[in-house]
Amino acid sequence: MPDPNNLRITLPPINIIIKDGKDGQQATLEWAKLDQIQQPTQVKGELPDNGKPKRYEIKAYPVSGTEGWILEPASPRRDWMDEIPHGFAYRCLPLVMANQLGWIVRCPTDFEVIWNGEKSHIGSLDIRFAEQGDRYKNFISSHFGFGILTFSLPWLFRTPEDIMLIVRGATNFFKFNASPLDGLIETDWSPYTFTMNWKIVEKNIPVRFSKGDPICMLVPYPIDLIERFDAINSSLESEPTLLARYKQWVESRQSFNSKKGRTPKEWQKNYYGGKHPDGAIAPKHRTSIKLSRFQDPPS
């Protein structure tokens, strides 16, 4: 007969979960088989073991001659912003940050284009290149009709898994009588090149592109990020600290705007400096974006 003081019980593999008791009730133990326990999974983009942010690669594979084309990080500057006195435009940090958010493809040549209003892609765009610009006629053309000007880029782009490319016009860059068309491309798997397109708005009005104009901006984007957001209508009263700081900012802004005789050198710098109206420092604040330049791989 077994010794009751030395009783051994063999159990199947289990995981013990302790549930806290409520209202003074005794806590209980729950047994579950190990194969029923959901194991934690690593979230893509988590910090690696060295504690530094994970690095990604965006690759540009030339599929034709790239002479004259420029692919580079977007500049924080814009010509129209330079023309505003006292640097007022550059005091708007959201503008400056958006200007830098991607890589720019620049136009390889000077040309002028006129849309005659026809829908066909044949003969509806009159593209007149500057001297020696005809070599780009196969890259800058009418491909879709309806007044759409098409730039066939000389690269095939590749991004990491689940990262797409937003392909659009350069932020805060304007072209009279033409509007850039945005696209979202699955460059994590696609073996296909893509085009950058501009829609000419009015017929019989010339649109001029100069060599070096930004014709395209490339912005990597994790496609599932926006789908993770729950859109919620909320009340400021539910966030007392935020409400207090908002009211303080409104009063400060109204006082500043009503001040007579203020000079161009005077401006409120709280947001630019990453400060709340009460002087508290924002935990994270950026005034620039630093992108890597496309370089040849090491030999």
Side-chain angles (χ1 to χ4, degrees):
M1 185 173 180
D3 183 357
N5 296 321
N6 190 25
L7 186 63
R8 304 182 67 182
I9 301 176
T10 302
L11 297 173
I14 60 172
N15 183 64
I16 298 178
I17 303 173
I18 299 179
K19 291 187 175 180
D20 294 331
K22 294 183 179 179
D23 302 326
Q25 297 178 2
Q26 183 177 356
T28 60
L29 298 180
E30 181 177 296
W31 291 3
K33 293 182 180 180
L34 283 177
D35 58 4
Q36 295 175 338
I37 305 299
Q38 184 176 1
Q39 300 299 318
T41 57
Q42 184 177 8
V43 178
K44 293 180 180 179
E46 285 185 344
L47 296 179
D49 294 338
N50 60 11
K52 295 181 180 180
K54 182 178 180 180
R55 300 292 298 178
Y56 298 96
E57 289 184 342
I58 175 173
K59 295 182 178 181
Y61 297 93
V63 293
S64 60
T66 60
E67 183 180 356
W69 298 87
I70 295 176
L71 174 59
E72 64 182 5
S75 168
R77 309 192 70 88
R78 297 292 183 267
D79 290 343
W80 68 269
M81 295 175 68
D82 291 341
E83 295 173 359
I84 297 179
H86 309 293
F88 278 142
Y90 291 103
R91 296 181 185 182
C92 181
L93 184 58
L95 279 179
V96 175
M97 292 293 286
N99 286 351
Q100 306 170 66
L101 193 61
W103 286 268
I104 290 290
V105 177
R106 297 194 178 275
C107 186
T109 187
D110 300 325
F111 70 94
E112 179 181 277
V113 57
I114 300 176
W115 177 40
N116 65 11
E118 297 295 326
K119 297 178 180 179
S120 173
H121 71 283
I122 300 175
S124 61
L125 290 185
D126 181 13
I127 304 175
R128 304 172 184 176
F129 292 99
E131 186 177 357
Q132 297 183 347
D134 280 348
R135 59 179 171 168
Y136 297 106
K137 64 182 180 180
N138 292 329
F139 298 92
I140 304 171
S141 64
S142 173
H143 185 74
F144 298 104
F146 296 88
I148 297 175
L149 174 69
T150 296
F151 291 86
S152 298
L153 306 182
W155 298 280
L156 170 66
F157 290 93
R158 178 71 78 201
T159 50
E161 182 181 2
D162 296 329
I163 304 292
M164 298 187 181
L165 275 186
I166 299 174
V167 181
R168 52 166 316 211
T171 46
N172 302 315
F173 175 80
F174 318 108
K175 182 66 66 176
F176 176 72
N177 198 36
S179 178
L181 304 181
D182 293 5
L184 180 62
I185 303 163
E186 295 179 348
T187 46
D188 59 341
W189 70 266
S190 174
Y192 315 118
T193 59
F194 55 81
T195 60
M196 176 62 199
N197 300 281
W198 288 67
K199 177 68 175 74
I200 298 177
V201 180
E202 297 290 343
K203 65 180 181 180
N204 300 325
I205 298 177
V207 177
R208 295 178 177 84
F209 283 83
S210 298
K211 182 177 182 179
D213 277 350
I215 59 169
C216 176
M217 192 174 198
L218 309 175
V219 184
Y221 185 80
I223 189 56
D224 63 337
L225 175 61
I226 196 169
E227 296 176 322
R228 298 182 206 170
F229 284 88
D230 296 319
I232 301 171
N233 289 318
S234 189
S235 169
L236 270 176
E237 282 69 21
S238 65
E239 298 285 349
T241 301
L242 178 60
L243 176 60
R245 285 172 171 168
Y246 169 73
K247 288 182 175 180
Q248 187 176 2
W249 171 77
V250 170
E251 294 174 0
S252 172
R253 192 64 173 170
Q254 291 175 343
S255 176
F256 179 80
N257 287 338
S258 62
K259 182 181 179 181
K260 296 181 179 180
R262 55 186 172 93
T263 67
K265 292 183 178 181
E266 296 181 72
W267 58 297
Q268 293 180 298
K269 305 177 183 179
N270 282 346
Y271 181 79
Y272 201 101
K275 296 181 180 180
H276 291 283
D278 57 9
I281 303 298
K284 292 183 180 180
H285 179 61
R286 300 284 297 270
T287 58
S288 65
I289 300 174
K290 298 179 180 179
L291 302 184
S292 64
R293 292 186 173 273
F294 281 88
Q295 299 178 355
D296 294 334
S299 56

